Amino acid sequence: MKLEVNGVDISFGTKEVLRDLTLRVEDGEFVSLIGPSGSGKTTLFGVIGGLKQPDAGEIRIEGRITTGERGHVAYMPQQAALLPWRSVSGNIEMALKIAGIDKGTAKAMTLEWLSRVGLAEYARAYPHVLSGGMQQRVSFLRALLSPRTLMLLDEPFGALDALTRLHMQKWLLSIWETHRKSVLLVTHSIEEALYLSDRIIVLSASPATAVDEIVVPFERPRREDLWTDPRFNELKARIYGHLQGDGKAVDDHV
Ligand SMILES: Nc1ncnc2c1ncn2[C@@H]1O[C@H](COP(=O)(O)OP(=O)(O)OP(=O)(O)O)[C@@H](O)[C@H]1O
Ligand SMILES: [Mg+2]
């Protein structure tokens, strides 16, 4: 699904968070957003997902204005928002059932994927017994298995160890390559953005505007040793340069 964000402004009281922000994600495109902490990335996702009304501007999905409307996107929030009174598998199954998948298929899909992310033994557990990283994996699965073809992922792998993170990135890429969903991903890892995306949008500190846009030149499927390509390091330096200008620390590993 094609997404357009046109001239969006949003303020909280006197604090201006997004100013005239315009960006688009083409059908089947993978776009990453990188920007300093507090620049308004999560706020932008709230606007795209219809949870927040912007002060100005509009959201279009497939060309139709959807500003303020919910239900068009698969959204993985920055804080895993699992329903505490449902088991881990219940949380995922419910999302699938809402999406119109029949009960039997939803159960089977859920179990298969839980074991792929190493959580089969937690299927019947309740979210509060999971670690932060485990909750993130469940929340990621909910978004990944949703049939909606626009995914908003807000730092989906932030709380994971390096190896698990690499596995999750590979799954995301393999799902994306098979189903060609449109993805908008927030990350603080420049390397993750370079490894996954077609395009990277760099945001300034708030009020956020796009300060750079990088078309990632690497062929797909992406090689795992991308970092050996000199262009990788050039692009990394370019993005890092923008972020450094804000004096904020950047999480700099995949
Ligand atoms: N509901 C709210 N009420 C008041 N201020 C808010 C609200 N939501 C966000 N803000 C402010 O808007 C700014 C942007 O917040 P946001 O969560 O969008 O940043 P972010 O780019 O996602 O940061 P991070 O990378 O740390 O997740 C911050 O200054 C934050 O305090
Ligand atoms: Mg955020």
Side-chain angles (χ1 to χ4, degrees), residues 122-139:
Y122 289 93
R124 300 167 82 97
Y126 285 84
H128 72 273
V129 306
L130 269 58
S131 70
M134 289 173 179
Q135 291 185 26
Q136 230 180 14
R137 278 181 273 170
V138 175
S139 174

Side-chain angles (χ1 to χ4, degrees), residues 3-10 12 17-25 31-34 38-54 56-59 67-68 73 75 78 152 154 184-186 201 203 208-210:
L3 166 72
E4 293 163 88
V5 173
N6 293 327
V8 164
D9 290 344
I10 190 164
F12 293 108
V17 177
L18 302 176
R19 180 188 289 170
D20 195 20
L21 186 70
T22 294
L23 59 88
R24 57 165 59 202
V25 180
V31 177
S32 289
L33 276 180
I34 286 195
S39 59
K41 304 176 297 295
T42 297
T43 303
L44 173 65
F45 275 13
V47 173
I48 298 170
L51 308 173
K52 284 191 177 72
Q53 190 71 34
E58 63 179 23
I59 304 300
T67 320
V73 301
Y75 179 31
Q78 189 167 7
L152 304 181
D154 197 347
L184 188 56
L185 171 121
V186 169
I201 296 169
L203 295 180
T209 48

